[in-house]
Amino acid sequence: RGVDGIKIMATERAGLPDTDPRQRVYSEEALAAAVDEARRSGRTVAAHAHGDEGAAAAVRAGVRTIEHGTYLSDQTLALMKERSTCFVPTIATVIDLIDPGGNYDDPMLSVRGRSMLPRVRDAATRAWKADVQIVAGTDTDYGPRSTRRIPDEVAELVQVGLPAMDAIKAA
């Protein structure tokens, strides 16, 4: 229906209090089927994946990007490098979980965000050091309540070790 790409949920969301972002959603077969269908239509697939198991399964299925990647292991990062899968860490979105207001204004999500923030920053640093291509992105809706945007993500990428020009290029 005119879309350029498809985003699939490899793990549950972080932005809902009653979900576990480390919990895998689809089997290897279902992820592979989604990627195959998208490719038949000339589309790429982005995988929402905080948890390592879901992310690794999505990479093996052939997704183009891992969105979030909070709990990525070094093994999954190596697989991403091998398969040229890009990493979109969305660090600023995790900060939005913590900030009052914004898209995710909920006390439980604030606690979750404080736990996730050092992990996603570490994953982005390790990905950069492993030469996995980093892409800047956010999960905010850019509405009037949004507190974090792409410039915030670029600044976060610099904070985790990317040279400023590489962080700008990632955007």
Side-chain angles (χ1 to χ4, degrees), residues 11-144:
T11 67
E12 292 184 355
R13 291 185 55 193
L16 296 173
D18 60 344
T19 59
D20 180 351
R22 295 164 295 186
Q23 182 65 42
R24 188 168 162 179
V25 174
Y26 293 112
S27 68
E28 301 251 351
E29 295 80 14
L31 290 167
V35 171
D36 288 344
E37 281 297 316
R39 282 191 182 144
R40 276 191 265 253
S41 299
R43 308 295 188 267
T44 58
V45 177
H48 163 100
H50 287 281
D52 188 58
E53 181 186 349
V59 173
R60 287 190 296 271
V63 300
R64 181 69 182 110
T65 65
I66 294 295
E67 316 284 319
H68 314 304
T70 304
Y71 302 100
L72 292 179
S73 67
D74 289 338
Q75 294 81 7
T76 300
L77 290 171
L79 184 62
M80 291 171 69
K81 171 65 177 159
E82 175 186 314
R83 300 202 177 191
S84 299
T85 307
C86 301
F87 181 29
V88 187
T90 66
I91 302 165
T93 301
V94 177
I95 294 170
D96 193 24
L97 289 173
I98 299 167
D99 284 346
N103 291 96
Y104 305 102
D105 193 12
D106 180 288
M108 285 188 60
L109 296 179
S110 181
V111 170
R112 177 179 286 168
R114 284 193 296 278
S115 171
M116 291 173 68
L117 185 57
R119 289 177 170 90
V120 71
R121 283 176 170 158
D122 176 64
T125 298
R126 287 184 294 108
W128 176 249
K129 289 178 180 176
D131 201 28
V132 173
Q133 184 177 351
I134 306 283
V135 178
T138 71
D139 241 12
T140 57
D141 66 11
Y142 273 69

